[in-house]
Amino acid sequence: MKHAPLNRKRKTKDPCPECGLHKNLCICELIPSLTFATKVCLIIHKKELKRTTNTGRLAIKSLTNSEIRIRGGEDRQVLDLSDLLVPTYRTFLFYPSDDAVELDRDLVEQSPLPIQLIVPDGNWRQASKVYTRHTELKDVPKVKISTTNSSIQHLRAEHSAEGMATLQAIAQALQVIEGPQAVEPLMKLYEAKLRNTLIGRGQIQASAGSIPSEKAR
Protein backbone atom coordinates (compact mmCIF):
# COMPACT_ATOMS: atom_id res chain seq x y z
CA MET A 1 0.00 0.00 0.00
CA LYS A 2 1.05 3.61 -0.48
CA HIS A 3 1.54 6.32 2.05
CA ALA A 4 2.69 9.90 2.43
CA PRO A 5 4.23 11.12 5.67
CA LEU A 6 2.37 13.33 8.12
CA ASN A 7 4.29 16.09 9.88
CA ARG A 8 5.28 14.58 13.18
CA LYS A 9 5.67 16.48 16.44
CA ARG A 10 8.02 13.94 17.96
CA LYS A 11 10.46 11.34 16.79
CA THR A 12 10.19 7.93 18.42
CA LYS A 13 13.32 7.24 20.44
CA ASP A 14 14.43 3.70 21.15
CA PRO A 15 11.30 2.13 19.58
CA CYS A 16 10.23 -1.45 20.12
CA PRO A 17 11.83 -3.43 17.27
CA GLU A 18 8.63 -5.42 16.76
CA CYS A 19 5.78 -2.87 16.74
CA GLY A 20 7.78 0.35 16.17
CA LEU A 21 6.28 2.18 19.14
CA HIS A 22 8.05 3.61 22.17
CA LYS A 23 8.57 0.74 24.58
CA ASN A 24 6.19 2.31 27.10
CA LEU A 25 3.50 2.22 24.40
CA CYS A 26 4.31 -1.25 23.04
CA ILE A 27 1.38 -3.21 21.60
CA CYS A 28 3.16 -6.51 20.89
CA GLU A 29 0.85 -8.35 23.27
CA LEU A 30 -2.01 -7.54 20.90
CA ILE A 31 -0.38 -9.14 17.83
CA PRO A 32 -2.61 -12.12 16.96
CA SER A 33 -1.57 -15.39 15.35
CA LEU A 34 -3.97 -15.99 12.46
CA THR A 35 -3.88 -18.86 10.00
CA PHE A 36 -5.75 -18.58 6.71
CA ALA A 37 -5.55 -20.31 3.35
CA THR A 38 -4.78 -16.93 1.80
CA LYS A 39 -1.09 -16.11 1.60
CA VAL A 40 0.14 -12.52 1.95
CA CYS A 41 3.55 -11.54 0.59
CA LEU A 42 4.68 -8.05 1.55
CA ILE A 43 7.15 -6.34 -0.81
CA ILE A 44 8.73 -3.58 1.23
CA HIS A 45 11.54 -1.11 0.60
CA LYS A 46 14.46 -1.30 2.99
CA LYS A 47 13.95 2.35 4.02
CA GLU A 48 10.32 1.64 4.93
CA LEU A 49 11.43 -1.01 7.42
CA LYS A 50 12.95 1.73 9.56
CA ARG A 51 9.79 3.81 9.74
CA THR A 52 7.96 3.55 13.04
CA THR A 53 4.61 4.25 11.35
CA ASN A 54 4.86 1.18 9.12
CA THR A 55 2.00 -1.28 9.65
CA GLY A 56 2.82 -3.85 6.98
CA ARG A 57 5.26 -5.58 9.31
CA LEU A 58 2.47 -5.96 11.89
CA ALA A 59 0.34 -7.73 9.28
CA ILE A 60 3.15 -10.17 8.52
CA LYS A 61 3.71 -10.84 12.22
CA SER A 62 -0.02 -11.54 12.61
CA LEU A 63 -0.46 -13.91 9.68
CA THR A 64 1.21 -17.30 9.83
CA ASN A 65 0.81 -17.86 6.08
CA SER A 66 2.77 -14.79 5.05
CA GLU A 67 6.24 -13.63 4.12
CA ILE A 68 8.20 -10.47 3.49
CA ARG A 69 10.55 -9.57 0.62
CA ILE A 70 12.84 -6.54 0.96
CA ARG A 71 13.71 -4.19 -1.89
CA GLY A 72 16.46 -1.59 -2.11
CA GLY A 73 19.29 -3.55 -0.51
CA GLU A 74 22.80 -2.18 -0.34
CA ASP A 75 24.00 -4.67 -2.94
CA ARG A 76 21.67 -3.00 -5.48
CA GLN A 77 20.62 -6.38 -6.82
CA VAL A 78 17.18 -6.42 -8.39
CA LEU A 79 14.71 -8.42 -6.33
CA ASP A 80 13.32 -11.29 -8.39
CA LEU A 81 9.76 -12.24 -7.44
CA SER A 82 9.21 -14.88 -10.12
CA ASP A 83 9.37 -17.72 -7.57
CA LEU A 84 6.10 -16.43 -6.09
CA LEU A 85 4.23 -17.33 -9.27
CA VAL A 86 3.36 -20.92 -8.43
CA PRO A 87 0.35 -22.94 -9.65
CA THR A 88 -0.78 -23.79 -6.11
CA TYR A 89 -1.98 -20.22 -5.62
CA ARG A 90 -4.12 -17.81 -7.55
CA THR A 91 -1.92 -14.75 -7.36
CA PHE A 92 -2.99 -11.09 -7.41
CA LEU A 93 -1.03 -7.87 -7.07
CA PHE A 94 -2.82 -5.74 -4.48
CA TYR A 95 -2.25 -2.36 -6.10
CA PRO A 96 -4.80 0.26 -7.27
CA SER A 97 -3.55 0.67 -10.85
CA ASP A 98 -5.86 1.86 -13.62
CA ASP A 99 -6.41 -1.73 -14.73
CA ALA A 100 -7.03 -3.13 -11.23
CA VAL A 101 -10.37 -4.83 -10.63
CA GLU A 102 -12.38 -4.82 -7.44
CA LEU A 103 -11.53 -7.56 -4.97
CA ASP A 104 -14.98 -8.94 -4.19
CA ARG A 105 -16.69 -12.26 -3.53
CA ASP A 106 -17.54 -12.78 -7.21
CA LEU A 107 -13.84 -12.64 -8.06
CA VAL A 108 -12.85 -14.88 -5.15
CA GLU A 109 -15.39 -17.54 -6.08
CA GLN A 110 -14.19 -17.85 -9.68
CA SER A 111 -11.65 -20.48 -8.62
CA PRO A 112 -11.26 -22.99 -5.75
CA LEU A 113 -7.53 -22.26 -5.53
CA PRO A 114 -6.32 -20.33 -2.47
CA ILE A 115 -5.32 -16.74 -3.14
CA GLN A 116 -1.92 -15.16 -2.79
CA LEU A 117 -1.82 -11.38 -2.40
CA ILE A 118 1.42 -9.62 -3.33
CA VAL A 119 1.29 -6.34 -1.42
CA PRO A 120 3.66 -3.43 -2.23
CA ASP A 121 4.46 -1.44 0.90
CA GLY A 122 6.13 1.95 1.25
CA ASN A 123 5.53 5.51 0.14
CA TRP A 124 3.85 6.28 -3.19
CA ARG A 125 7.09 6.23 -5.14
CA GLN A 126 8.40 3.02 -3.56
CA ALA A 127 5.13 1.12 -4.01
CA SER A 128 4.74 2.19 -7.63
CA LYS A 129 8.15 0.74 -8.47
CA VAL A 130 6.94 -2.74 -7.56
CA TYR A 131 4.20 -2.27 -10.14
CA THR A 132 6.37 -0.74 -12.88
CA ARG A 133 9.79 -2.34 -12.45
CA HIS A 134 9.05 -5.96 -11.66
CA THR A 135 8.36 -7.22 -15.16
CA GLU A 136 7.96 -10.76 -13.83
CA LEU A 137 4.65 -9.53 -12.40
CA LYS A 138 3.38 -7.93 -15.61
CA ASP A 139 0.79 -10.66 -16.22
CA VAL A 140 -0.36 -10.88 -12.60
CA PRO A 141 -3.91 -9.48 -12.28
CA LYS A 142 -4.20 -6.34 -10.15
CA VAL A 143 -6.89 -5.98 -7.51
CA LYS A 144 -8.01 -3.13 -5.29
CA ILE A 145 -10.41 -2.30 -2.46
CA SER A 146 -12.55 0.76 -3.17
CA THR A 147 -14.07 1.08 0.29
CA THR A 148 -13.90 4.67 1.55
CA ASN A 149 -11.68 5.10 4.57
CA SER A 150 -13.92 6.87 7.07
CA SER A 151 -11.24 7.22 9.74
CA ILE A 152 -10.76 10.74 11.05
CA GLN A 153 -7.17 10.19 12.15
CA HIS A 154 -4.38 8.49 10.23
CA LEU A 155 -0.79 7.45 10.79
CA ARG A 156 0.14 9.24 7.57
CA ALA A 157 -1.61 11.54 5.12
CA GLU A 158 -3.68 9.68 2.53
CA HIS A 159 -3.90 10.71 -1.13
CA SER A 160 -7.46 9.52 -1.74
CA ALA A 161 -10.69 8.72 0.07
CA GLU A 162 -9.84 5.02 -0.30
CA GLY A 163 -6.30 5.42 1.07
CA MET A 164 -5.50 3.13 3.98
CA ALA A 165 -2.56 1.99 6.03
CA THR A 166 -1.22 -1.34 4.82
CA LEU A 167 -2.57 -3.24 7.81
CA GLN A 168 -6.02 -1.73 7.27
CA ALA A 169 -6.00 -2.66 3.58
CA ILE A 170 -4.86 -6.23 4.24
CA ALA A 171 -7.58 -6.60 6.87
CA GLN A 172 -10.22 -5.43 4.37
CA ALA A 173 -8.89 -7.78 1.70
CA LEU A 174 -8.90 -10.77 4.03
CA GLN A 175 -12.42 -9.93 5.14
CA VAL A 176 -13.52 -10.31 1.51
CA ILE A 177 -11.53 -13.50 0.92
CA GLU A 178 -11.72 -15.28 4.27
CA GLY A 179 -14.75 -13.76 5.95
CA PRO A 180 -15.46 -11.45 8.90
CA GLN A 181 -13.33 -13.48 11.35
CA ALA A 182 -10.23 -12.09 9.63
CA VAL A 183 -10.87 -8.39 10.04
CA GLU A 184 -11.57 -7.87 13.76
CA PRO A 185 -8.21 -8.91 15.29
CA LEU A 186 -6.24 -7.08 12.58
CA MET A 187 -8.27 -3.89 12.94
CA LYS A 188 -7.97 -4.08 16.73
CA LEU A 189 -4.20 -4.19 16.26
CA TYR A 190 -4.25 -1.28 13.80
CA GLU A 191 -6.40 0.85 16.08
CA ALA A 192 -3.99 0.22 18.96
CA LYS A 193 -1.07 1.18 16.74
CA LEU A 194 -2.79 4.39 15.67
CA ARG A 195 -3.92 5.32 19.19
CA ASN A 196 -0.54 4.75 20.82
CA THR A 197 1.28 6.50 17.99
CA LEU A 198 -0.88 9.59 18.52
CA ILE A 199 -0.28 9.36 22.26
CA GLY A 200 3.45 9.20 21.60
CA ARG A 201 3.22 12.29 19.40
CA GLY A 202 1.35 14.16 22.10
CA GLN A 203 -1.68 14.59 19.83
CA ILE A 204 -4.08 12.76 22.15
CA GLN A 205 -4.06 11.96 25.84
CA ALA A 206 -3.66 8.45 27.17
CA SER A 207 -6.80 7.11 28.82
CA ALA A 208 -7.23 4.30 31.32
CA GLY A 209 -6.77 0.98 29.58
CA SER A 210 -5.37 2.53 26.39
CA ILE A 211 -1.81 1.35 27.02
CA PRO A 212 -0.91 -2.29 27.73
CA SER A 213 0.14 -2.64 31.34
CA GLU A 214 3.68 -3.57 32.38
CA LYS A 215 2.27 -6.70 34.01
CA ALA A 216 0.56 -7.72 30.77
CA ARG A 217 3.78 -7.18 28.80
Side-chain angles (χ1 to χ4, degrees), residues 31-96:
I31 298 175
S33 180
L34 305 172
T35 300
F36 300 116
T38 303
K39 178 181 177 181
V40 174
C41 182
L42 191 76
I43 314 300
I44 189 170
H45 195 276
K46 181 181 179 181
K47 292 181 179 179
E48 180 68 19
L49 282 173
K50 301 177 181 179
R51 302 197 62 179
T52 58
T53 53
N54 179 268
T55 63
R57 292 177 302 166
L58 288 175
I60 297 304
K61 292 178 184 299
S62 301
L63 302 169
T64 61
N65 190 17
S66 64
E67 65 173 295
I68 188 169
R69 302 287 181 94
I70 301 172
R71 299 178 55 246
E74 293 179 359
D75 56 11
R76 299 294 182 180
Q77 290 187 354
V78 177
L79 180 65
D80 186 358
L81 302 175
S82 57
D83 64 304
L84 295 175
L85 308 180
V86 293
T88 50
Y89 283 103
R90 188 175 169 214
T91 299
F92 295 103
L93 181 63
F94 194 24
Y95 181 81

Side-chain angles (χ1 to χ4, degrees), residues 86-140:
V86 293
T88 50
Y89 283 103
R90 188 175 169 214
T91 299
F92 295 103
L93 181 63
F94 194 24
Y95 181 81
S97 59
D98 291 340
D99 58 343
V101 299
E102 191 69 19
L103 179 60
D104 57 22
R105 284 304 304 172
D106 288 340
L107 182 64
V108 172
E109 292 172 357
Q110 288 177 7
S111 171
L113 283 175
I115 286 175
Q116 174 179 225
L117 288 179
I118 298 176
V119 184
D121 194 20
N123 61 32
W124 283 83
R125 183 170 176 270
Q126 291 163 351
S128 66
K129 286 182 178 179
V130 175
Y131 171 60
T132 58
R133 291 189 177 181
H134 286 272
T135 57
E136 68 271 28
L137 303 180
K138 64 182 177 62
D139 295 324
V140 174

